[in-house]
């Protein structure tokens, strides 16, 4: 099976958590797109849900499949959000934002009673940080914000190149919120909470891709099958996780 098959298997398992009438958050990225596609099939067969998309791309996919969309202004509290991730550790801490939708993803996730993360098992890591941390920043004062991130991160031992994310045409990637993204290659992050804290002190930083204490359930699919990890059972499940 390919990584894409595993993503679809995780998405299919997540669908089992969804009940008729639920208000859902729809994530962004290739794994979330599998979930949206499978949900679309159920909706076509008469299943009723209402959904808040985390990006314009997901909104377009859902709309094309006939999935009913709403906004957080109409429905401020959602039942479940299903989203992908770039990395996940043994405490269900995440790095997200590879697809550039981290701000809306985090707003939608924390507006939901439950965040279910779906991924192929390759996304599981012993320690976060091999994937460069996406940080969404406003364009005004970009050089200044970049220097401040470098300085404050360095104070807590996080060092590495910050790269302005570009599109294929060489122009800066602009998020759905009109901001840009600095991909921060700090390497292994022994204390992601400390990094999250310092990034929050910088006015030009809108949000960062660390999702800490937000994920309730992780569904990871790989050669050994589909594994469901629950945040509340972490102590019991730790034995089974890579150290
Ligand atoms: C988008 C995200 C995605 O969930 C993350 O990048 C994973 O993407 P994929 O499912 O394509 O591997 O955070 O901002």
């Amino acid at each position: 099976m390919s990584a894409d098959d595993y993503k679809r298997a995780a998405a299919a398992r997540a669908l089992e958590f969804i009940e008729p009438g639920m208000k859902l958050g729809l994530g962004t990225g290739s794994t979330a797109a599998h979930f949206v596609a499978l949900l679309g099939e159920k909706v076509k067969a008469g299943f009723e849900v209402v959904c808040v998309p985390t990006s314009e791309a997901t909104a377009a996919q859902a709309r094309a499949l006939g999935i009913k969309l709403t906004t957080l202004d109409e429905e401020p509290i959602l039942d479940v959000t299903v989203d992908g991730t770039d990395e996940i550790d043994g405490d269900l801490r995440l790095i997200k934002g590879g697809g550039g939708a981290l701000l809306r993803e985090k707003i939608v996730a924390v507006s939901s009673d439950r965040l279910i993360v779906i991924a192929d098992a390759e996304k599981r890591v012993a320690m976060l940080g091999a994937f460069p941390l996406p940080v969404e920043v406003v364009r005004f004062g970009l050089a200044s914000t970049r220097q401040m991130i470098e300085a404050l991160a360095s104070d807590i031992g996080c060092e590495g190149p910050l790269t302005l994310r570009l599109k294929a045409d060489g122009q800066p990637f602009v998020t759905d919120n009109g901001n840009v993204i600095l991909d921060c290659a700090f390497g292994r992050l022994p204390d992601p909470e400390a990094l999250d804290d310092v990034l929050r002190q910088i006015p030009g930083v809108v949000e960062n891709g660390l999702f800490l204490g937000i994920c309730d359930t992780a569904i990871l699919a790989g050669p050994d099958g589909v594994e469901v990890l629950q945040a509340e059972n972490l102590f019991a499940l730790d034995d089974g996780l890579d150290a």
Side-chain angles (χ1 to χ4, degrees):
M1 277 173 84
S2 68
D4 205 53
D5 293 329
Y6 293 135
K7 291 177 184 187
R8 194 170 175 87
R13 182 72 180 82
L15 207 54
E16 295 173 22
F17 288 83
I18 309 306
E19 293 166 17
M22 275 187 163
K23 294 172 265 181
L24 304 179
L26 300 178
T28 295
S30 57
T31 318
H34 278 302
F35 177 79
V36 175
L38 292 169
L39 181 67
E41 289 173 15
K42 281 195 86 164
V43 165
K44 209 164 280 174
F47 192 72
E48 285 194 17
V49 284
V50 61
C51 301
V52 175
T54 55
S55 63
E56 299 303 327
T58 297
Q61 184 196 5
R63 225 175 267 123
L65 292 167
I67 295 172
K68 192 171 167 198
L69 296 181
T70 186
T71 63
L72 285 181
D73 296 318
E74 296 291 325
E75 299 288 356
I77 307 291
L78 305 176
D79 296 299
V80 179
T81 285
V82 179
D83 202 349
T85 191
D86 296 299
E87 283 188 347
I88 180 165
D89 76 2
D91 293 320
L92 305 197
R93 296 180 294 190
L94 317 172
I95 287 184
K96 284 182 52 57
L102 63 118
L103 175 59
R104 293 190 189 186
E105 287 173 335
K106 201 178 275 190
I107 292 171
V108 171
V110 301
S111 303
S112 306
D113 289 340
R114 182 178 202 177
L115 172 63
I116 300 178
V117 160
I118 52 177
D120 71 89
E122 293 282 309
K123 300 286 183 71
R124 181 196 279 189
V125 295
M127 190 180 287
L128 297 177
F131 191 92
L133 178 68
V135 178
E136 181 160 346
V137 300
V138 294
R139 285 183 274 188
F140 178 85
L142 176 59
S144 189
T145 299
R146 176 199 283 262
Q147 278 188 20
M148 224 169 282
I149 295 172
E150 283 168 344
L152 293 191
S154 170
D155 284 350
I156 57 160
C158 294
E159 289 184 346
L162 274 57
T163 307
L164 179 66
R165 191 179 297 184
L166 302 177
K167 296 183 294 183
D169 65 4
Q171 292 303 305
F173 172 88
V174 177
T175 70
D176 285 344
N177 320 296
N179 303 309
V180 294
I181 289 185
L182 291 171
D183 289 305
C184 304
F186 293 138
R188 290 158 65 88
L189 302 174
D191 190 353
E193 283 78 11
L195 180 58
D196 186 44
D197 280 349
V198 300
L199 291 172
R200 289 186 185 290
Q201 293 169 25
I202 303 170
V205 170
V206 181
E207 193 45 86
N208 74 79
L210 287 167
F211 283 50
L212 308 175
I214 296 176
C215 175
D216 302 288
T217 304
I219 301 176
L220 305 178
D224 298 332
V226 179
E227 192 177 8
V228 180
L229 306 174
Q230 304 285 4
E232 61 266 29
N233 292 333
L234 275 179
F235 290 117
L237 290 163
D238 262 352
D239 289 341
L241 295 175
D242 297 337

